[in-house]
Amino acid sequence: MAYKAVIGLEFHCEMKSHTKVFSRAINGFSKKPNQLVSPLDMGFPGTLPVLNKECVKKAIEIAMILNCKIPEYMEFDRKNYFYPDLPKGYQITQFFNPVGVNGSVKIEVNGKEKEVLIHDIHLEEDAASLDHLYDTSNIDYNRSGVPLLELVTEPCLNSAEEAFEFLEHMKRIYQYTGISDCDTKKGQIRADVNVSIMDENDTELGTKVETKNVNSFDSIRKTIEYEIERQSKLKSEGRYDEVVQETRRWDDESGTTIHMRSKADAIDYKYFTEPNIPRYKISKELLDDIRKNIPELAHERKEKYITEYGMSEYDAKVLVKDKKVSDFFEECVSLGSDPKSTCNWITTKILAEINKKEDTTIEDIFIKPYMISELISLIDSKKITNNQGKEVFAKMLEEELTPGEIVKKYNMEVIEDENLINDLVNEVINENNQAVTDYKNGRTNMLDYLVGQVMKKSKGKANPVEAKEKLLETIK
Ligand code: ADP
Ligand code: MG
């Protein structure tokens, strides 16, 4: 029997900013440990945190986009616990008065709209990281104090797919606002995944099981699927009492979740207001300034592509999925290229090229927006044919030359000299008497054959439409 699944996510995302959230160390990615550190990040006594306004603004921006209630003051709290990656013995976070509460966001799952309720969103600092080696562990403070946004949903998601789509939606919001790259490879995202199951008409939620620190969208999806199956099996066997409130972890190798600790071991964090950061008034001016500068988001661009550019829903979705691709498209259009032709080149040719190699983005390939615009205008002005355009595209990648350079190098420009085309047409007619007779006797497809012959003679440089017209004129 199938049960109803209930899922709530705690989604952590490392923010981009110039410096860390409470210190002046650079917030960046370094392969070398302990390069981006200040005494505060190492928990030295006597150091004091200074709140980073850039992070505050970005956190408020996300709270606004998620339709949250924003408090009057920015305030922080201490979450006290011991762990080697937390040298001061507490994390500065927001507990009593987070930057956003009671929000909601609409997402699309399988063509249907779903509203996801946001319990809260809060700004906090990341901990350092530990590298566990064979017989020792190293500590790296680069991550200590990196700004983190934690988004907590209500238990309102009902499948792995809904959770996945929600995370994809959030990732696009973070990327379009420039708040985070959400780069899994750099460990920029992780989620605590809470799953329970219940009978369809139960009024109370089932026992929730938390899987901590799952660090890719794919693993989050698998965690949910696994937990639903594990809990459902126990319930259907009458062993639901074995589903207990506990914390588990995802093990990628076995594709299962594994018990870490039970609720009885739950830590009491003894939260209290962080005394070293004075509360910070969120003024109306600040709010207005932030609201005014919210950029166009993925779903807004998608709407624009459909209504203003007449694009299909599918194409629009493909274009906005990755902000870099959408930016590439926007730049071509701003250079005057026709949106539909641009979309075509991107979705059929460029994305295919990017997908050939792993870890390749639209920024890594040689072709730039101005080149696609140039290519389109060469075709639109009939300097080259559509087919030649495809050839030019391939050669651009192979030889790293611009469309103009390729056309010149291979002498590809369409023959515009009418006499020359007339000559070619006459030659083809004289050399293909049988085909001409057949055509006149009703075998209309022979015309395409004759056009093909003209194209061949011109080495692809004749305009096929023109060749067809001339053939028709001459034959009749
Ligand atoms: P805790 O007190 O254990 O931290 P919370 O009620 O604060 O639990 O919720 C933490 C997360 O767990 C939230 O994302 C919430 O949506 C989710 N959650 C709460 N109850 C359930 C449940 N019965 N099933 C699934 N997720 C749940
Ligand atoms: Mg947290």
Side-chain angles (χ1 to χ4, degrees), residues 5-11 117 119 151-157 192-198 204-210 245 263:
V6 175
I7 300 138
L9 297 172
E10 296 161 85
F11 180 49
L117 303 175
H119 179 275
L151 190 164
V152 184
T153 74
E154 295 290 351
C156 66
L157 296 155
D192 302 338
V193 181
N194 303 275
V195 180
S196 68
I197 56 163
M198 62 198 277
E204 257 176 57
L205 295 179
T207 306
K208 135 191 129 166
V209 175
E210 178 188 47
Q245 276 211 33
K263 191 75 187 172

Side-chain angles (χ1 to χ4, degrees), residues 158-171:
N158 299 108
S159 66
E161 183 149 32
E162 283 184 6
F164 185 81
E165 287 300 335
F166 169 69
L167 292 170
E168 283 283 331
H169 185 91
M170 285 315 303
K171 178 171 152 186

Side-chain angles (χ1 to χ4, degrees), residues 325-341:
V325 172
S326 173
D327 285 346
F328 188 107
F329 169 80
E330 298 260 326
E331 200 174 329
C332 293
V333 173
S334 78
L335 289 168
S337 297
D338 171 57
K340 273 193 175 161
S341 317

